[in-house]
Amino acid sequence: MGGSSSVKFGVRCFFSKEGGKSLTTSNSRLERLVDGDKPKRPMEVIANSIMNALMALRKPAIAAVLLGLLLMYDPNSALAASGGRVGGSAFSSRSSSSSSSRSYSTPSMISGYSYSAPYSSPSLFGGGGIYVGPAVGVGVGAGSSFFFILAGFAAFLLVSGFLSDRSDSSVLTASDKTSVLKLQVGLLGMGRGLQRDLNRIAESADTSTPEGLSYVLTETILALLRHPDYCISGYSSMDLKRSIEDGEKRFNKLSIEERGKFDEETLVNVNSIKRQSTSSQRTSGFSNEYIVITILVAAEGVHKLPAINGSGDLKEALQKLASIPSSKILAVEVLWTPQNENDTLSERELLEDYPLLRPL
């Protein structure tokens, strides 16, 4: 009897209100598993995942976040944009030689007149007197207007002679001036031969002599003239300075501006100081690649370049640069990017870094 009571109590508890609900829920899940939830094929799983992703992208907030992440991602961001630089300068030697040829001592002759400081002396006519020069003396009365005229003339000679000496005769001839020239050329990325030519020039040139600098300039110009079909844009400028020192400042400023556009100078030969980087360069799948070559020249005298509005202007500018005598060249630098053949300069970078280039 006691055992039967235990069984009845257990059955009664199992079929209580809560127990019945649990059993019904379990049975319904089992029925769905057996009847409806059959194992899905892999393609169905992938299709459902894609559909769920597309549905999630319909939400503006999620779509905006994903788009921002895609725009911020750059597979080449850790790699450097390469740049090459070859050239040198002779500013220091020219400026020292030119300064040694100038005399800054006060001359004893002004416009062919000998002069000395005026001094007073007793006048033969009973008044004070003034004598100009040790050889010729003119005695006048203290109240005479001729005294003031003579004194003013002497002061004029002194001041004009002093200022004339300080300003190197106040008038600069054409040979005293310094021209700083800049020619920039944009090319299609298909002109990889130009990169190889510039690499060869940078590796072999002696950039410590004026003849070596003239060689760098001439060979670069010839490389550009041999590939006219690749040239698509250009820009030129000319700055005329009153001295070699001012020309050097302007040249250095232009050089720094162009070098700042490189992430890394991967090939350098400047004043026979050579450096080459072995770091890996970035590669890109973009088809619209570009190359930019910048030529900087400082030369004694007045030299001009035409404004670049077409291929004819570019050819004329290149020929004018090539015609500068090596004896007049003060400095030359050729800068180009990308230096590595596997590197890429995109259209966006071209427009941002070289906005002055004009289509030919």
Side-chain angles (χ1 to χ4, degrees):
M1 291 296 293
S4 300
S5 299
S6 293
V7 173
K8 289 180 180 179
F9 177 78
V11 171
R12 189 179 297 113
C13 291
F14 181 77
F15 283 98
S16 63
K17 184 176 181 179
E18 294 181 0
K21 182 177 180 181
S22 300
L23 181 61
T24 304
T25 304
S26 300
N27 290 337
S28 63
R29 290 177 179 173
L30 181 60
E31 289 175 357
R32 287 198 306 268
L33 179 62
V34 174
D35 297 334
D37 294 347
K38 297 180 180 179
K40 295 182 179 180
R41 291 175 295 178
M43 291 303 297
E44 290 182 323
V45 175
I46 295 174
N48 290 335
S49 300
I50 294 175
M51 290 299 297
N52 292 335
L54 292 175
M55 292 297 293
L57 287 176
R58 293 177 62 183
K59 299 179 180 180
I62 299 178
V65 172
L66 291 178
L67 181 60
L69 293 175
L70 289 174
L71 292 175
M72 292 175 61
Y73 175 71
D74 183 9
N76 301 318
S77 59
L79 301 176
S82 60
R85 177 174 170 240
V86 58
S89 68
F91 282 114
S92 57
S93 60
R94 297 292 183 88
S95 60
S96 60
S97 62
S98 62
S99 61
S100 62
S101 64
R102 299 172 184 172
S103 175
Y104 292 96
S105 59
T106 304
S108 59
M109 296 289 294
I110 300 181
S111 302
Y113 294 96
S114 175
Y115 74 95
S116 62
Y119 62 94
S120 60
S121 169
S123 173
L124 297 177
F125 299 97
I130 181 168
Y131 287 83
V132 179
V136 180
V138 179
V140 295
S144 174
S145 61
F146 184 76
F147 168 80
F148 298 101
I149 295 174
L150 189 59
F153 180 73
F156 170 77
L157 292 179
L158 286 171
V159 173
S160 62
F162 180 72
L163 294 178
S164 174
D165 178 67
R166 290 192 62 184
S167 62
D168 295 330
S169 300
S170 298
V171 178
L172 290 175
T173 62
S175 60
D176 294 326
K177 299 177 182 179
T178 300
S179 299
V180 181
L181 310 172
K182 174 181 176 180
L183 181 62
Q184 207 160 55
V185 185
L187 305 102
L188 294 174
M190 295 181 294
R192 298 302 185 186
L194 267 171
Q195 287 176 306
R196 291 188 288 269
D197 290 341
L198 294 174
N199 292 343
R200 173 183 55 80
I201 295 170
E203 292 168 356
S204 61
D206 178 10
T207 55
S208 62
T209 64
E211 293 77 16
L213 297 181
S214 180
Y215 167 81
V216 169
L217 179 61
T218 303
E219 290 297 310
T220 301
I221 291 172
L222 286 174
L224 285 167
L225 290 174
R226 289 169 182 157
H227 301 85
D229 296 338
Y230 296 140
C231 301
I232 60 172
S233 58
Y235 169 75
S236 67
S237 67
M238 189 274 288
D239 293 289
L240 191 61
K241 300 301 180 181
R242 294 176 57 87
S243 65
I244 293 178
E245 291 78 9
D246 291 341
E248 182 178 11
K249 291 178 182 178
R250 179 58 179 169
F251 183 89
N252 292 338
K253 182 176 184 296
L254 292 176
S255 175
I256 290 296
E257 287 178 356
E258 296 304 320
R259 294 173 63 189
K261 298 173 184 178
F262 305 156
D263 289 339
E264 181 183 3
E265 291 181 352
T266 50
L267 179 59
V268 177
N269 179 3
V270 176
N271 291 324
S272 288
I273 299 176
K274 299 181 179 181
R275 184 178 73 252
Q276 188 167 4
S277 173
T278 57
S279 62
S280 60
Q281 303 302 322
R282 61 181 182 177
T283 58
S284 175
F286 292 108
S287 58
N288 54 341
E289 302 169 341
Y290 298 93
I291 303 171
V292 174
I293 300 175
T294 303
I295 303 174
L296 302 177
V297 179
E300 292 179 308
V302 179
H303 305 274
K304 297 181 180 180
L305 295 178
I308 308 301
N309 296 313
S311 56
D313 297 329
L314 177 59
K315 183 177 181 180
E316 181 184 354
L318 290 170
Q319 292 174 345
K320 283 184 176 294
L321 286 177
S323 65
I324 299 176
S326 59
S327 60
K328 298 294 183 180
I329 292 178
L330 297 171
V332 171
E333 270 194 24
V334 178
L335 308 99
W336 70 100
T337 183
Q339 182 270 325
N340 190 283
E341 292 187 33
N342 296 323
D343 200 357
T344 299
L345 180 68
S346 67
E347 184 176 6
R348 177 181 60 82
E349 293 168 322
L350 179 71
L351 296 175
E352 290 180 356
D353 294 337
Y354 305 94
L356 297 178
L357 287 174
R358 294 293 178 263
L360 298 179

